[in-house]
């Protein structure tokens, strides 16, 4: 180690400050040309208007019994004040009541009896009605204590399974479970939902619209028996669906709607075609008094009309061919929509469509191989929106964070075992007590004031776990420390060819540490624009210092 007395220290050293550090990550400018307060890296930090702070910790809240990837999460608030939180994995629907294990909502058919022969693949039913009850290839059937996957359903009384039957049986009971994504198609991970008439309504492009009140699911409408939808929403007292498969014919540009007075009534004549794009409808999302229709390569806005039997008229919004890249790559927040397009991340407001992801876009969209797995979600508790990009794999590891007040980017990196990689994340708003019932006859406003509403971001994992982000924790799932990294740009102070000597590095935080606290930072430096680093020591903030 060099003798400190031999180091060159200039006669007139200049103190240079870089504060506040609130510009976030900028990758679209030269590393020596970034504005003051900008960073090259901000890992596990949220860069706000006052500077960076550590991201919230993850906390395991619940686990499914079947350990399939989590797909969606939504809370239904009924007109009676009852709250029900639903969670979807890739096969089943669950109800979350605040306990560690999610309660599966069974969606089964078990009418009649069946018979089959060991070594064969055909199962014959007696008094069964399989075709008329939304049973599909890929659903599971349990018979004679064995579980099989259905391969084909020929008629109401005959089906085949994918593997040979293990036993011979006759006149026995059985159970067929309707599955959300029977073949676990990675490109059909989408579950789109809507809430209307105290019902949770969903589509998975596998069956006609289904609904649940918190108990056994059922078909929403007999008018949709032969119709599958790629997306669904509730807007202006109607149920709207898009990207239609009608009796086997795909109308990727078609929108249908229900009656405003009977949301189970869908007239065959009530549809609107937008065959002006090469893409398909991805999502229908309410946008103030308009309905936004996102294609893969276009955007249409539906406005109320004066035409009979045509509640909305759609007009194309000029996006220069940009559309929504994935069904989950959009979220509503701060009066608009934030979504991932083919070349950037955009914010759609009443004023304009603005690109906001330019500072980090080269590290995101272009590196993602499967756009269907890009996710977006609001995190209002932390003044940010998060975007997940799976890059080379099918799981989210790096999560980009956009602080909407500072307009600053950073990223979260979740470190976990291989079985805990993230699939997606969801914003959920719930009461402190998940069993709360708002009794309108018992001083409801006092009950409202006495409760705490949680606005937490939740993560769904590939092994069926639900994680919640919490500012109260300091470790992920109380087991792993949260490593933070902050990398400054190159500092040449306008004199790139002049040799400069640094002899001191200091750091200030926004509060004085408690008498029992100590905070340490490992400092490294680079003289070749980040290609290699060497240790500069540890900077320690002691108790009662800042």
């Amino acid at each position: 180690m060099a003798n400190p007395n031999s180091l060159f220290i200039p006669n007139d050293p200049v103190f240079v400050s870089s504060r506040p550090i609130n510009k976030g990550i900028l990758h679209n400018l030269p590393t020596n040309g970034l504005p003051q307060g900008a960073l090259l890296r901000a890992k596990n930090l949220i860069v706000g208007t006052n500077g960076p702070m550590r991201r919230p910790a993850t906390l395991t809240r619940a686990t499914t019994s079947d350990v399939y990837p989590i797909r969606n999460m939504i809370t239904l608030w009924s007109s009676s004040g009852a709250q029900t939180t639903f969670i979807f994995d890739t096969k089943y629907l669950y109800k979350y009541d605040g306990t560690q294990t999610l309660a599966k909502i069974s969606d089964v058919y078990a009418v009649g009896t069946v018979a089959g022969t060991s070594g064969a693949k055909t199962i014959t039913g007696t008094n069964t009605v399989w075709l008329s009850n939304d049973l599909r290839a890929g659903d599971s059937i349990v018979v004679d204590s064995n579980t099989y996957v259905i391969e084909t359903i020929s008629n109401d009384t005959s089906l085949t399974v994918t593997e040979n039957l293990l036993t011979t049986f006759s006149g026995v009971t059985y159970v067929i479970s309707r599955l959300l994504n029977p073949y676990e198609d990675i490109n059909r991970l989408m579950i789109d939902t809507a809430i209307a008439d105290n019902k949770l309504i969903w589509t998975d492009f596998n069956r006609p619209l289904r609904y649940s009140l918190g108990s056994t699911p059922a078909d929403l409408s007999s008018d949709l028996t032969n119709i599958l939808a790629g997306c669904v929403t509730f807007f202006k007292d109607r149920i709207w669906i898009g990207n239609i498969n009608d009796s086997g014919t795909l109308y990727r540009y078609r929108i249908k709607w229900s009656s405003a007075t009977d949301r189970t009534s869908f007239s065959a004549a009530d549809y609107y075609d937008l065959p002006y794009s090469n893409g398909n409808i991805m999502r229908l999302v309410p946008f103030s008094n308009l309905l936004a229709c996102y294609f893969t390569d276009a955007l249409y806005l539906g406005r109320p009309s004066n035409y009979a039997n045509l509640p909305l008229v759609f007009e194309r919004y000029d996006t220069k061919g940009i559309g929504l890249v994935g069904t989950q790559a959009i979220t509503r927040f701060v009066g608009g929509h934030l979504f991932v397009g083919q070349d950037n991340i955009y914010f759609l407001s009443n004023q304009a469509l603005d690109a906001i992801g330019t500072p980090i876009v080269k590290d995101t969209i272009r590196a993602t191989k499967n756009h269907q797995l890009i996710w977006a979600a609001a995190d209002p508790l932390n003044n940010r929106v998060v975007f997940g990009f799976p890059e080379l794999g099918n799981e989210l590891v790096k999560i980009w964070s956009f602080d909407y007040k500072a307009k600053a980017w950073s990223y979260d990196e979740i470190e976990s075992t291989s079985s805990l990689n993230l699939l997606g994340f969801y914003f959920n708003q719930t009461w402190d007590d998940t069993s709360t019932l708002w009794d309108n006859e018992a001083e409801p406003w006092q009950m409202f004031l006495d409760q705490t509403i949680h606005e937490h971001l939740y993560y769904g994992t590939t092994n069926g776990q639900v994680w919640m982000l919490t500012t109260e924790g300091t470790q992920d799932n109380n087991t792993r420390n949260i490593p933070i990294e902050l990398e400054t740009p190159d500092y040449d102070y306008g004199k790139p060819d002049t040799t400069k000597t640094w002899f001191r590095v200091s750091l200030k935080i926004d509060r004085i540490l408690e008498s029992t606290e100590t905070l340490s930072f490992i400092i490294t430096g680079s003289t070749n624009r980040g290609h290699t680093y060497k240790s500069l020591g540890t900077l320690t903030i002691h108790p009662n210092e800042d």
Side-chain angles (χ1 to χ4, degrees), residues 169-386:
F169 48 86
S170 179
V172 300
T173 58
Y174 69 98
V175 176
I176 295 178
S177 295
R178 301 179 181 90
L179 304 182
L180 294 167
N181 186 20
Y183 293 109
E184 298 186 47
D185 183 357
I186 200 69
N187 293 306
R188 290 174 59 182
L189 288 174
M190 170 63 180
I191 286 283
D192 202 8
T193 59
I195 292 177
D197 302 324
N198 296 324
K199 301 173 182 175
L200 170 68
I201 302 167
W202 72 88
T203 178
D204 63 351
F205 212 63
N206 182 51
R207 288 184 172 84
L209 290 188
R210 303 278 283 171
Y211 79 92
S212 175
L213 299 171
S215 54
T216 304
D219 285 341
L220 178 69
S221 170
S222 59
D223 295 336
L224 300 176
T225 300
N226 297 314
I227 293 178
L228 307 179
C231 54
V232 60
T233 195
F234 179 66
F235 180 71
K236 297 288 185 183
D237 295 322
R238 301 175 191 269
I239 301 294
W240 299 77
I241 56 177
N243 192 5
I244 306 298
N245 184 320
D246 190 344
S247 302
T249 302
L250 181 62
Y251 301 92
R252 62 176 189 248
Y253 44 75
R254 177 165 292 180
I255 299 172
K256 284 185 66 67
W257 57 86
S258 72
S259 164
T261 56
D262 180 3
R263 257 80 72 174
T264 66
S265 175
F266 289 78
S267 170
D270 287 346
Y271 66 88
Y272 194 106
D273 284 341
L274 296 168
Y276 313 112
S277 168
N278 292 325
N280 59 275
I281 296 175
M282 297 288 279
R283 291 289 300 274
L284 296 168
V285 187
F287 176 56
S288 185
N289 197 41
L290 311 176
L291 181 61
C293 176
Y294 287 89
F295 279 73
T296 51
D297 59 356
L299 169 61
Y300 287 82
L301 297 178
R303 306 174 184 275
S305 80
N306 294 321
Y307 297 105
N309 302 319
L310 187 62
L312 298 179
V313 173
F314 287 84
E315 180 180 355
R316 187 163 182 165
Y317 190 99
D318 185 15
T319 63
K320 305 296 189 297
I322 297 299
L324 182 63
V325 298
T327 49
Q328 292 284 20
I330 183 171
T331 186
R332 288 194 285 174
F333 196 45
V334 292
H337 295 170
L338 291 111
F339 70 93
V340 181
Q342 283 76 7
D343 67 337
N344 215 314
I345 300 173
Y346 292 90
F347 178 55
L348 175 67
S349 67
N350 289 326
Q351 286 75 37
L353 179 66
D354 297 313
I356 66 169
T358 303
I360 53 92
V361 73
K362 74 176 183 180
D363 288 336
T364 55
I365 304 170
R366 299 170 190 172
T368 302
K369 302 302 180 183
N370 193 338
H371 287 175
Q372 185 64 16
L373 296 179
I374 295 176
W375 295 71
D379 184 11
L381 191 64
N382 294 294
N383 300 321
R384 64 174 183 161
V385 177
V386 291

Side-chain angles (χ1 to χ4, degrees), residues 467-485:
W467 296 353
M468 182 184 75
L469 283 188
T470 172
T471 56
E472 298 175 1
T474 59
Q475 293 181 315
D476 282 337
N477 294 319
N478 296 319
T479 58
R480 293 177 295 276
N481 292 325
I482 303 173
I484 65 171
E485 294 181 14

Side-chain angles (χ1 to χ4, degrees), residues 107-109 133-135 139 176-179 207 210:
D107 191 2
V108 300
Y109 181 84
N133 280 278
D134 283 339
L135 305 181
D139 289 342
I176 295 178
S177 295
R178 301 179 181 90
L179 304 182
R207 288 184 172 84
R210 303 278 283 171

